[in-house]
């Protein structure tokens, strides 16, 4: 039996297989509200046969959006918009769905990627004052973020809690806290971006504090059936920055708190990063963390071949495989992987006759 197509438990949530659709920003929301594009996009992903679909990075506050067109879940209007999308998608798919709750911190207030993606100054249209652990910008020459006050940190924690409660009301199956790719929770973790001298800065213990406080606060308000995990960047790829040793310390702390999964990526915090991009280049970080924790570990990054994804699991390097751009390019990748590995996945009855004549149908 294929390991990739074997069940996996994330806390109390059972996935039919170990293919995870990773969060992918769509830059297609209006005032944080999901649109018809999200219905089309998520509908396509939800018919793919993957084990779980994670909605894109979803801001817990308006100033936490990466761009002015990012998805949000901070008030009744943004909650209702996601509810409308989920209502449509769930008519035709029973795939478990998760949401990634996020705050972009100093990487917020930007243009859409196809508009250049550059920073928008606070006094320009669609721009706002960004916040961060310390008053250090991501790129030189751009507006400085304001260093967060203690009250703003408390407001941020409360915002994550409120968004998590909304996610549960929406009937979502899992929550992933976004502490990767240089966004706010990651900014607090890394000594490159966190120059604070209070209880949230300095030592590793202090730099972990905000993420662990957010995790504990969210876990306290969601029901046990809600799987709760964290996505991290295991290294900044910059000397003197966040690294694997610190990531293992964090992973152990999360594991002890009952974290249901950890999703291991890398990078995104500094433009000085030197990333040795190659096939599966992030998998060794997942492997190292998996050796230290009991919770399931998700590997991600340039994993595109079904047999190689199977091998990652068979060799004990990870418990699940996440795909992002691969799924955009080929939304039926799980179907083709199932055919390659002699497995089957669920698909809508409208598609059951779609397999080529020479291929044993991988869908049922």
């Amino acid at each position: 039996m294929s390991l990739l197509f074997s069940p996996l438990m994330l806390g109390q949530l059972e996935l039919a297989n170990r293919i995870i659709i990773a969060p992918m920003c769509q830059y297609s929301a209006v005032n944080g509200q999901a649109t018809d594009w999200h219905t089309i996009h998520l509908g396509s992903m939800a018919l793919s046969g993957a084990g779980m679909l994670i909605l894109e990075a979803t801001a817990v506050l308006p100033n936490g959006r990466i761009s002015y067109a990012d998805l949000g879940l901070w008030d009744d209007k943004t909650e209702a918009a996601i509810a409308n999308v989920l209502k449509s998608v769930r008519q035709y798919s029973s795939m478990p769905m998760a949401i990634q709750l996020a705050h972009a911190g100093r990487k917020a207030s930007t243009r859409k990627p196809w508009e250049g993606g550059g920073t928008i100054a606070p006094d320009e249209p669609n721009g706002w004052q960004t916040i961060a652990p310390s008053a250090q910008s991501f790129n030189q020459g751009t507006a400085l973020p304001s260093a967060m006050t203690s009250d703003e940190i408390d407001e941020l924690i409360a915002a994550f809690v409120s968004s998590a409660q909304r996610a549960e009301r929406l009937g979502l199956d899992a929550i992933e806290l976004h502490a990767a790719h240089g966004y706010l929770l990651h900014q607090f973790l890394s000594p490159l971006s966190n120059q604070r001298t209070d209880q949230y800065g300095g030592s590793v213990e202090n730099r972990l504090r905000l993420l662990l406080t957010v995790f504990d606060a969210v876990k306290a308000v969601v029901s046990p059936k809600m799987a709760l995990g964290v996505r991290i960047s295991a290294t900044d790829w910059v000397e003197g920055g966040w690294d694997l040793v610190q990531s293992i310390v964090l992973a152990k702390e999360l594991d002890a708190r009952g974290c249901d999964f950890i999703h291991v990526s890398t990078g995104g915090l500094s433009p000085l990063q030197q990333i040795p991009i190659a096939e599966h280049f992030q998998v060794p970080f997942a492997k190292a963390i998996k050796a230290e924790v009991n919770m399931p570990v998700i590997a991600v990054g340039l994993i595109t071949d079904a047999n190689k994804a199977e091998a990652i699991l068979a060799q004990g390097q990870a418990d699940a495989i996440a795909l992002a751009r691969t799924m955009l390019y080929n939304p039926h990748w799980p179907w083709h992987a199932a055919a390659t590995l002699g497995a089957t996945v669920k698909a809508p009855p409208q598609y059951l006759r779609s397999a080529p004549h020479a291929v044993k149908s991988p869908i049922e």
Side-chain angles (χ1 to χ4, degrees):
M1 180 179 179
S2 164
L3 281 173
L4 188 62
F5 289 94
S6 65
L8 175 67
M9 298 298 298
L10 302 180
Q12 296 183 17
L13 175 64
E14 182 173 6
L15 309 187
N17 61 61
R18 297 172 184 239
I19 301 171
I20 310 294
I21 302 175
M24 294 174 280
C25 290
Q26 297 298 296
Y27 307 98
S28 299
V30 177
N31 296 321
Q33 298 169 40
T35 64
D36 287 345
W37 173 257
H38 293 90
T39 303
I40 295 168
H41 165 66
L42 294 172
S44 172
M45 295 294 106
L47 301 181
S48 68
M52 185 170 74
L53 167 59
I54 308 178
L55 276 65
E56 66 194 80
T58 304
V60 299
L61 289 168
N63 69 357
R65 293 172 293 169
I66 303 167
S67 80
Y68 63 90
D70 276 26
L71 193 63
L73 184 56
W74 61 70
D75 62 10
D76 291 346
K77 289 183 178 179
T78 51
E79 180 180 343
I82 293 177
N84 288 336
V85 171
L86 295 178
K87 181 180 178 181
S88 295
V89 172
R90 283 178 168 148
Q91 290 184 70
Y92 304 104
S93 174
S94 60
M95 180 185 294
M97 299 185 73
I99 192 166
Q100 185 186 67
L101 297 181
H103 193 293
R106 71 181 188 177
K107 293 181 75 175
S109 189
T110 69
R111 295 175 177 85
K112 300 176 185 179
W114 53 88
E115 295 173 346
T119 300
I120 302 176
D123 58 350
E124 294 179 356
N126 295 320
W128 59 86
Q129 176 61 51
T130 59
I131 58 175
S134 306
Q136 296 180 333
S137 60
F138 177 73
N139 285 310
Q140 289 185 348
T142 59
L144 289 177
S146 62
M148 294 178 69
T149 66
S150 295
D151 287 345
E152 287 174 326
I153 290 175
D154 291 342
E155 290 168 3
L156 177 74
I157 296 166
F160 270 98
V161 167
S162 176
S163 294
Q165 291 171 317
R166 292 181 185 279
E168 181 129 47
R169 282 202 298 269
L170 287 166
L172 289 160
D173 301 287
I175 292 170
E176 179 176 271
L177 301 177
H178 197 2
H181 300 162
Y183 299 119
L184 187 57
L185 293 179
H186 182 184
Q187 290 162 30
F188 270 86
L189 294 175
S190 176
L192 298 178
S193 49
N194 184 348
Q195 301 295 314
R196 300 179 72 92
T197 57
D198 62 3
Q199 69 268 35
Y200 293 103
S203 67
V204 173
E205 179 184 9
N206 282 357
R207 286 184 278 113
L208 299 185
R209 191 181 308 278
L210 179 59
L211 173 55
L212 295 179
T213 301
V214 169
F215 178 87
D216 289 344
V218 169
K219 188 172 180 61
V221 299
V222 297
S223 65
K225 68 179 182 179
M226 175 71 80
L228 177 59
V230 176
R231 193 177 202 187
I232 69 167
S233 282
T235 178
D236 289 337
W237 296 110
V238 179
E239 186 177 352
W242 181 256
D243 57 20
L244 179 59
V245 172
Q246 296 170 88
S247 293
I248 289 173
V249 173
L250 170 60
K252 287 181 175 180
E253 288 284 351
L254 289 169
D255 204 35
R257 285 167 156 79
C259 190
D260 293 316
F261 62 92
I262 188 166
H263 190 170
V264 182
S265 187
T266 64
L269 183 105
S270 169
L272 300 177
Q273 63 189 13
Q274 297 293 317
I275 303 178
I277 295 177
E279 185 180 57
H280 306 174
F281 73 102
Q282 294 177 154
V283 173
F285 296 94
K287 178 183 178 181
I289 289 172
K290 179 172 167 55
E292 302 289 343
V293 298
N294 294 313
M295 61 180 158
V297 175
I298 303 171
V300 66
L302 295 183
I303 303 169
T304 60
D305 180 87
N307 285 308
K308 292 178 180 179
E310 179 79 10
I312 290 169
L313 301 181
Q315 293 165 9
Q317 299 181 82
D319 299 289
I321 303 296
L323 307 172
R325 283 172 285 186
T326 295
M327 291 297 301
L328 292 180
Y329 193 71
N330 181 6
H332 291 154
W333 189 91
W335 295 13
H336 303 298
T340 297
L341 297 172
T344 58
V345 293
K346 289 186 178 180
Q350 294 92 330
Y351 289 172
L352 290 179
R353 296 194 298 165
S354 65
H357 180 71
V359 176
K360 180 181 178 182
S361 178
I363 58 177
E364 60 182 12

